[in-house]
Amino acid sequence: WCAAYAFDDGPVLIWRPGEPCPPDIFDHVRAGGVCVAHNASFERVMWKHILGPRYGWPEPAIEQWRCTMVTAYAMALPGSLDDASAALGLEQRKDDAGKRLMMQMSRPRKLDPLTWWDDPAKIERLIAYCAQDVEVERAIEKRLKPMKPSELALWHLDQKINDRGVGVDRPLAEKARALVERAAERLDRRMAEVTNYAVTACSNRNQLIAWVREHGVETESIAKDQVEELLAHRDLPAEVRTALEIRQAAAKASVAKIDALLNGTSADGRARGLLQFHAASTGRWAGRRFQPQNIVRPMKKFPVDLAIDAIANNYAEALFGEDQILFVVSQCLRGLLKAPAGRKIVAADYSNIEGRVLAWMAGEEWKCEAFREYDRFLLDAEGEPIPDPKNKGDFLRAGPDPYKVAYGRSYGVQPEDVSDDQRQIGKVMELALGYQGGVGAFRTMGVNYGVDLPDEEVEAIRDAWRAAHPRVKQFWYDLETGMKAVEEPGSTHYVAGRIVFRVSGSFLFMRLPSGRLLAYSYPEIRDKLMPWRDENDREVWKPSLSYMGINSYTRKWERCFAYGGLLAENATQATARDVMADAMPRLERAGYEVILTVHDEIVCECAEDHGSLEEMVGIMTALPEWAVGLPVAADGFEDVRYRK
């Protein structure tokens, strides 16, 4: 319909289809000039596929682009244009009515014959909307702190990764979708029969809630956790239990995820645009569209290869039974991503990277040494690792299992004397308590690992873990020195020799070991009600660091509170991300083309005769100067399909 643009503080100009490329744009792009946009991935791809080939605009190199959305994310601001401008207190705001018109005019009015919303008045209104976006983007850019050069280069790499995409086994995905659709239809029929047709489909949330209430069970929700809680009650009426179990089974249906993958796969068999750079305030990537970050993790002994073959060759229902099909497909979702002929996927995941980074930053040296010993393999006379007879595919290690070490250190027990059940408790301790977690955090994590203990016992475990980790505990309290930086603007405050706090303008910045900054906007010191009471059973209020941010539960921009454990989590996750980010350009230079990042895992594609998992792991665990002494390890796989 149009393009709106401006140079520096000049007027906003309009281009319409049929006109030649504006000479000032032509010259600017050819000279290597910078192009700025909000969510620049959109402009960049539209330019590449529409403005260039259809209208003759010269295509900017990826390195010429800058993105104010990514820069806003890097400052822990909202990503949307209007929310970012509101958070920055700008007078310039996005035109919401114009956005609705744009969404309408982006779709045909009719498909047969193909008819567009080409009313002249609508076009002029759309042009005004487009021009206003340029004004808002320009105002935002002036308020944002430019990304450091290494982060900008990483975003440019991220754009290449998104353009590269991932290979999709379309025939397998289509057969999996057909299986899921048939299974969903069967579950809908069962739901209707069980409820005497009061609930006509498993997805009819309000119908099911009303029916459950009519049968004497009070609930406001049938979300996953609520269904699990209801099913845990022994006295649940049989028909209600059956209906909720059907709902639970239907929730495993992966058809939406498969649809997203198929709809986003281009004619060349690759799905693109699956990653969002810096979507989390710590700098981590998030998934988009197919959402590779939240694919179900297959159960350890599930025969994924057999199931994929059964789906591909139409005998999955006969082999596993119709009632198990949703589960079977969910276990195979990763395998829908497949390298093309002549190529392979090589992927490696950093092992317990957060536990290692936290110990290293806090100076918990006994724990760092325990990780180093565990990472070192015992060698035979020829210098080769000795196979572990108990764990196929693994080797004997110089040090004991870190989860056994954690439990043993907390209770004064030698690691070799820690039982399997105690190791499981040790695992939950490590995952739940490192960020100042207590009973609630332990219980939440324990659900995933089958650990369910009385509150009194969990409190004792918490206290024992903290006693065994005095430097981590001190690290939490030291991180609250960020409050001092807020009280003394311009002052610099150091924590554990690795973290630095300083206020600049409207932001409190935490400088990480890598030199990258985490931002907390509009910081203040405010009294906060604590979740405990004093010895006289009175409320306890404590001065706390407060800032504006995205609430992780409500997803709204609002005032939040920080405490030592939360700041430790931010610093740890951000530093773990920086370790991974540092490795990605080195992997690219070595011929390992990154196609995805999934949490702490890097997924690459390369020629089937290129390199090895061992080489990739070696590159990933070669640390930058700022991370000297950090105990890191990684492990993964080579295959034609993505797996876990």
Side-chain angles (χ1 to χ4, degrees):
W1 292 115
C2 67
Y5 66 97
F7 282 89
D8 300 320
D9 291 325
V12 176
L13 304 174
I14 304 298
W15 170 90
R16 302 167 190 252
E19 299 174 355
C21 175
D24 48 3
I25 287 183
F26 191 95
D27 294 341
H28 181 76
V29 172
R30 283 292 173 87
V34 168
C35 303
V36 184
H38 199 82
N39 188 21
S41 300
F42 175 82
E43 274 82 358
R44 187 179 63 77
V45 172
M46 292 304 104
W47 200 316
K48 179 182 180 69
H49 293 287
I50 304 295
L51 287 175
R54 190 177 296 180
Y55 299 110
W57 288 37
E59 183 186 350
I62 285 178
E63 289 74 17
Q64 288 176 252
W65 285 98
R66 305 291 185 271
C67 180
T68 50
M69 184 179 81
V70 164
T71 311
Y73 275 144
M75 296 183 69
L77 293 166
S80 78
L81 185 61
D82 195 49
D83 290 345
S85 61
L88 289 167
L90 300 178
E91 292 183 6
Q92 294 283 7
R93 300 294 295 276
K94 189 175 179 69
D95 178 356
D96 285 339
K99 181 179 179 180
R100 290 191 292 273
L101 177 66
M102 179 272 293
M103 296 299 292
Q104 180 191 60
M105 294 179 71
S106 295
R107 297 177 175 88
R109 186 174 184 175
K110 287 191 293 187
L111 289 174
D112 188 19
L114 187 62
T115 308
W116 296 93
W117 296 86
D118 54 0
D119 175 78
K122 286 182 180 289
I123 293 174
E124 291 305 312
R125 180 72 182 82
L126 183 69
I127 288 172
Y129 162 79
C130 192
Q132 177 63 15
D133 267 10
V134 175
E135 296 281 16
V136 179
E137 291 175 15
R138 182 163 55 180
I140 285 176
E141 188 208 10
K142 291 179 179 179
R143 290 289 305 275
L144 297 176
K145 184 181 180 67
M147 287 193 291
K148 57 186 293 197
S150 59
E151 282 294 298
L152 180 61
L154 188 65
W155 176 66
H156 289 148
L157 172 58
D158 163 87
Q159 295 298 282
K160 293 173 184 175
I161 292 168
N162 273 302
D163 283 0
R164 182 179 292 151
V166 299
V168 177
D169 188 338
R170 183 185 283 275
L172 181 68
E174 288 173 342
K175 290 189 174 183
R177 177 169 63 181
L179 284 171
V180 170
E181 287 173 344
R182 288 201 297 272
E185 289 171 2
R186 289 193 295 269
L187 288 171
D188 283 345
R189 286 197 298 270
R190 288 179 58 193
M191 178 67 81
E193 291 166 0
V194 166
T195 62
N196 198 23
Y197 295 90
V199 183
T200 53
C202 298
S203 59
N204 288 344
R205 172 185 170 277
N206 291 339
Q207 286 182 353
L208 182 55
I209 291 174
W211 182 84
V212 167
R213 285 176 173 172
E214 287 172 7
H215 286 70
V217 178
E218 282 302 315
T219 185
E220 299 291 331
S221 167
I222 52 168
K224 178 183 175 182
D225 56 347
Q226 184 64 30
V227 170
E228 289 175 352
E229 188 175 321
L230 290 171
L231 289 172
H233 292 291
R234 294 181 180 178
D235 57 350
L236 200 65
E239 63 273 25
V240 173
R241 180 176 298 280
T242 301
L244 291 177
E245 286 173 346
I246 294 171
R247 162 74 183 186
Q248 193 176 51
K252 296 177 182 175
S254 308
V255 68
K257 188 171 279 292
I258 298 172
D259 277 343
L261 183 61
L262 286 170
N263 292 339
T265 300
S266 301
D268 65 353
R270 299 187 77 85
R272 296 177 170 84
L274 301 183
L275 294 176
Q276 175 58 59
F277 184 78
H278 220 306
S281 62
T282 55
R284 282 183 163 180
W285 281 262
R288 292 291 184 262
R289 302 165 74 187
F290 173 57
Q291 294 283 8
Q293 269 74 2
N294 65 3
I295 305 175
V296 172
R297 187 187 186 105
M299 295 181 69
K300 225 171 192 180
K301 296 184 179 180
F302 183 81
V304 174
D305 291 341
L306 174 61
I308 286 175
D309 185 75
I311 294 170
N313 292 290
N314 306 311
Y315 65 94
E317 289 170 319
L319 179 63
F320 294 98
E322 290 183 346
D323 289 348
Q324 293 298 311
I325 283 301
L326 293 180
F327 169 75
V328 169
V329 171
S330 74
Q331 300 294 290
C332 299
L333 283 177
R334 293 171 189 266
L336 301 182
L337 306 183
K338 183 182 180 184
R343 295 179 70 77
K344 65 181 177 182
I345 290 174
V346 189
D349 200 345
Y350 285 101
S351 305
N352 192 6
I353 185 68
E354 289 191 34
R356 294 162 180 261
V357 169
L358 178 60
W360 173 72
M361 285 201 300
E364 205 72 77
E365 186 53 34
W366 68 264
K367 194 163 196 173
C368 291
E369 188 57 31
F371 281 124
R372 295 186 193 105
E373 284 296 290
Y374 179 74
D375 295 338
R376 187 166 60 84
F377 294 122
L378 295 177
L379 307 178
D380 60 21
E382 284 74 39
E384 296 295 323
I386 302 172
D388 185 344
K390 295 182 180 179
N391 297 301
K392 186 179 178 182
D394 203 352
F395 301 95
L396 292 177
R397 298 171 180 271
D401 182 322
Y403 296 131
K404 290 188 175 184
V405 172
Y407 185 92
R409 182 87 177 194
S410 300
Y411 286 98
V413 179
Q414 291 300 312
E416 58 269 24
D417 296 328
V418 174
S419 69
D420 289 344
D421 287 345
Q422 290 170 333
R423 178 197 180 273
Q424 201 73 342
I425 293 173
K427 185 171 186 175
V428 176
M429 292 164 72
E430 287 293 279
L431 297 174
L433 304 181
Y435 301 136
Q436 213 170 348
V439 173
F442 189 96
R443 283 199 165 285
T444 300
M445 192 64 66
V447 169
N448 299 324
Y449 297 97
V451 175
D452 184 15
L453 301 171
D455 286 356
E456 298 77 14
E457 192 169 343
V458 173
E459 289 174 357
I461 288 171
R462 175 202 62 197
D463 295 344
W465 190 93
R466 291 182 179 182
H469 295 77
R471 289 187 176 273
V472 170
K473 184 177 177 181
Q474 189 60 47
F475 188 55
W476 303 333
Y477 301 138
D478 289 345
L479 281 168
E480 294 186 5
T481 194
M483 290 197 300
K484 295 181 181 177
V486 174
E487 292 169 332
E488 305 166 7
S491 63
T492 302
H493 296 269
Y494 297 85
V495 178
R498 303 192 191 278
I499 301 294
V500 182
F501 286 101
R502 187 180 178 88
V503 169
S504 178
S506 300
F507 292 85
L508 168 67
F509 290 104
M510 177 199 290
R511 192 177 75 198
L512 302 166
S514 65
R516 186 164 66 92
L517 302 177
L518 295 189
Y520 302 85
S521 57
Y522 307 110
E524 297 178 2
I525 306 303
R526 292 190 176 187
D527 286 342
K528 183 178 185 295
L529 179 64
M530 294 293 104
W532 64 82
R533 303 178 77 85
D534 67 14
E535 62 276 7
N536 297 314
D537 198 33
R538 293 175 301 194
E539 291 181 344
V540 176
W541 292 78
K542 178 182 174 184
S544 301
L545 172 62
S546 171
Y547 62 97
M548 293 298 294
I550 302 292
N551 185 302
S552 59
Y553 297 102
T554 66
R555 308 309 303 166
K556 293 181 180 179
W557 175 257
E558 56 190 50
R559 188 150 289 278
C560 306
F561 283 91
Y563 58 94
L566 177 66
L567 295 171
E569 180 181 43
N570 291 173
T572 299
Q573 291 185 354
T575 299
R577 175 269 196 192
D578 289 346
V579 170
M580 182 171 76
D582 184 81
M584 290 166 63
R586 290 187 275 112
L587 287 169
E588 290 274 337
R589 290 193 293 270
Y592 297 89
E593 297 179 356
V594 180
I595 56 174
L596 281 178
T597 69
V598 182
H599 304 301
D600 300 312
E601 179 185 40
I602 304 177
V603 186
C604 297
E605 187 183 294
C606 60
E608 60 185 2
D609 60 353
H610 178 82
S612 65
L613 173 62
E614 290 72 26
E615 182 181 52
M616 180 174 172
V617 167
I619 294 169
M620 288 175 60
T621 55
L623 293 172
E625 288 185 10
W626 58 261
V628 170
L630 171 62
V632 292
D635 197 11
F637 66 90
E638 295 181 59
D639 203 342
V640 294
R641 295 185 188 275
Y642 180 48
R643 60 182 173 84
K644 196 68 177 177

